[in-house]
């Protein structure tokens, strides 16, 4: 293939700009980053923060409930977003999943410029609180609830989607 | 194993949630990064970038008043930026496609999805060091190459400097 070159994009190779570290150190870094020792150190660091993070989730859940009771949808989204970011890191898997489902729902309604269904939000918030506070019970119940709420969100967003016309 | 390779590294963590900042700082310190600086939003993050000259940045996406996207654009494009090539890892819980695309188009180097795991953080940092990406400059974008794979079936348009040799397209 031949074509006249039109220079519209400049490419700067890695050798032409400063790197994060010297090549010799980079090789050590790569070896270290892939080691079990480094991973174990990092995992222990997360474990050491888990109590603080758990209390942070509880605080966010309380603020989420408050925002829901006051019908402040953006605040509901913000709190659910914080919860989904922290919860799974400390093992609250279903809490994070349900919070993610709530964020997905609110984000989609905002983009579609339609009102969020208060019942959908309330169901999510109640499930998040139960999954976060009830621990073992929530681990079992939470996953099923997360699946159901995810299906509900898919269904509700389908209600707002423009109808598809079949053409022949 | 020696952690000397991490000793001299300087990291900047920009995150509005104090607990997440603590977590990221703890992770980096556990890996031997001794100099970890913190900021609570993109504005103060940019000041820290200028004052501390970190070797890499971990930034959240959603922050007020200046979010991670605006921060990244400023780092990449502003004349005030001390290092437009600094690796930026965007730490985000956002999974919505449009938000992720906006973050990518601001010029981030890597994404680290929340929930954060030790393994994922290590993988992202190793990726930056092991496979530094070319930077591209074009209308409306300056940052790491957004094409991570070369598509052998791609037939054009050929727009890049390295697509060509002596003004003839390589195909």
């Amino acid at each position: 293939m031949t074509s006249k070159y039109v220079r519209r994009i400049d490419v700067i190779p890695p050798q032409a700009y400063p790197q994060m570290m010297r090549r010799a150190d980079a090789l050590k870094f790569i070896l270290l980053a892939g080691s079990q020792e480094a991973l174990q150190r990092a995992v222990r660091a997360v474990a050491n923060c888990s109590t603080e993070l758990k209390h942070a989730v509880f605080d966010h859940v309380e603020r989420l409930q408050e925002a829901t009771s006051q019908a402040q949808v953006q605040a509901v989204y913000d709190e659910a977003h914080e919860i989904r970011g922290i919860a799974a890191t400390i093992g609250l898997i279903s809490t994070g999943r349900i919070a993610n489902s709530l964020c997905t729902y609110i984000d989609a309604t905002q983009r579609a410029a339609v009102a969020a269904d208060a019942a959908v939000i309330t169901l999510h918030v109640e499930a998040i609180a139960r999954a976060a506070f009830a621990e073992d019970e929530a681990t079992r119940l939470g996953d099923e609830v997360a699946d159901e709420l995810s299906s509900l969100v898919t269904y509700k967003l389908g209600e707002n989607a423009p109808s598809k016309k079949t053409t022949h | 194993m020696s952690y000397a390779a991490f000793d001299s590294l300087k990291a900047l963590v920009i995150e509005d949630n104090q607990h997440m900042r603590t977590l990221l700082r703890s992770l980096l310190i556990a890996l031997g990064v001794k100099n970890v600086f913190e900021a609570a939003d993109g504005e103060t993050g940019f000041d820290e970038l200028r004052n501390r000259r970190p070797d890499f940045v971990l930034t959240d996406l959603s922050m007020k008043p200046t979010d991670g996207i605006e921060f990244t654009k400023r780092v990449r494009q502003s004349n005030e930026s001390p290092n437009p090539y600094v690796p930026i890892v965007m730490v985000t819980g956002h999974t919505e496609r449009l938000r992720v695309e906006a973050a990518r188009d601001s010029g981030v180097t890597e994404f680290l999805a929340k929930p954060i795991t030790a393994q994922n953080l290590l993988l992202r940092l190793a990726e930056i060091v092991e496979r530094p990406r070319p930077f591209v400059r074009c209308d409306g974008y300056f940052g790491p190459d957004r094409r991570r794979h070369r598509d052998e079936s791609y037939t054009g348009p050929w727009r890049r400097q390295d697509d060509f040799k002596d003004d003839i397209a390589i195909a």
Side-chain angles (χ1 to χ4, degrees):
Chain A
M1 175 186 171
T2 56
S3 167
K4 194 64 184 170
Y5 168 33
V6 180
R7 186 185 295 248
R8 284 157 59 185
I9 298 178
D10 291 326
V11 179
I12 301 141
Q15 307 90 305
Y17 66 85
Q19 293 300 304
M20 193 166 130
M21 59 178 67
R22 292 178 302 142
R23 190 65 199 159
D25 286 338
L27 293 172
K28 290 179 194 165
F29 184 96
I30 292 159
L31 277 174
L32 188 60
S35 71
Q36 277 300 312
E37 184 188 332
L39 181 59
Q40 290 306 318
R41 286 174 69 133
V43 167
R44 280 198 297 274
V46 174
N48 290 338
C49 294
S50 64
T51 302
E52 180 183 338
L53 291 173
K54 200 165 192 173
H55 284 114
V57 169
F58 294 164
D59 289 345
H60 284 298
V61 171
E62 285 176 6
R63 287 202 285 271
L64 175 70
Q65 291 171 313
E66 192 179 330
T68 305
S69 68
Q70 294 173 1
Q72 295 174 339
V73 177
Q74 186 56 48
V76 169
Y77 177 90
D78 292 343
E79 295 300 335
H81 175 67
E82 294 295 341
I83 292 166
R84 74 173 165 176
I86 303 174
T89 298
I90 51 169
L92 296 172
I93 307 293
S94 55
T95 307
R97 283 189 61 201
I98 299 165
N100 186 54
S101 174
L102 178 54
C103 288
T104 301
Y105 176 65
I106 293 174
D107 185 74
T109 55
Q110 288 177 338
R111 290 188 186 285
V114 295
D117 186 330
V120 175
I121 292 177
T122 302
L123 280 171
H124 276 84
V125 172
E126 287 176 355
I128 288 167
R130 187 165 175 181
F133 292 125
E135 296 192 12
D136 287 345
E137 180 191 355
T139 305
R140 289 191 300 274
L141 180 63
D143 279 340
E144 294 169 13
V145 173
D147 289 341
E148 291 298 323
L149 288 172
S150 180
S151 299
L152 174 64
V153 165
T154 303
Y155 173 77
K156 294 296 289 185
L157 294 178
E159 281 183 346
N160 294 323
S163 59
K164 291 178 182 171
K165 291 179 181 174
T166 307
T167 54
H168 297 280
Chain B
M1 184 172 283
S2 168
Y3 283 72
F6 294 81
D7 271 0
S8 58
L9 280 179
K10 292 188 286 184
L12 172 60
V13 174
I14 309 173
E15 164 69 74
D16 60 350
N17 186 304
Q18 185 199 327
H19 307 290
M20 291 304 293
R21 276 206 308 274
T22 303
L23 173 66
L24 288 166
R25 166 188 276 275
S26 302
L27 274 167
L28 292 169
I29 288 173
L31 295 175
V33 181
K34 290 183 175 168
N35 299 302
V36 183
F37 308 108
E38 296 180 14
D41 79 298
E43 191 67 34
T44 50
F46 193 78
D47 291 341
E48 285 293 289
L49 184 84
R50 293 206 297 178
N51 294 332
R52 309 287 190 174
R53 307 291 174 106
D55 298 298
F56 67 97
V57 178
L58 305 181
T59 180
D60 188 22
L61 195 163
S62 300
M63 294 176 289
K64 292 172 183 170
T66 305
D67 65 17
I69 291 175
E70 286 306 311
F71 166 80
T72 305
K73 284 182 180 171
R74 196 169 171 199
V75 172
R76 298 291 185 232
Q77 298 174 12
S78 168
N79 291 332
E80 297 175 338
S81 176
N83 180 7
Y85 300 98
V86 68
I88 299 175
V89 180
M90 188 158 283
V91 184
T92 177
H94 287 289
T95 53
E96 298 87 18
R97 187 172 61 87
L98 290 175
R99 286 182 198 260
V100 173
E101 285 177 355
R104 180 202 62 187
D105 292 343
S106 69
V108 300
T109 313
E110 291 288 335
F111 283 98
L112 177 61
K114 292 178 183 175
I116 294 165
T117 66
Q119 190 162 28
N120 281 343
L121 177 61
L122 283 166
L123 283 172
R124 294 299 174 279
L125 294 178
E127 181 73 18
I128 290 169
V129 173
E130 192 171 6
R131 280 183 281 275
R133 286 149 63 197
F135 268 62
V136 298
R137 186 189 300 282
C138 60
D139 288 342
Y141 181 76
F142 176 70
D145 191 347
R146 290 168 289 185
R147 293 185 201 166
R148 287 182 180 257
H149 306 286
R150 194 172 185 94
D151 182 358
E152 297 300 331
S153 63
Y154 185 69
T155 57
W158 303 98
R159 298 183 300 174
R160 294 187 170 191
Q161 191 178 356
D162 62 352
D163 286 335
F164 295 84
K165 190 175 180 182
D166 298 331
D167 285 1
I168 304 297
I170 301 165

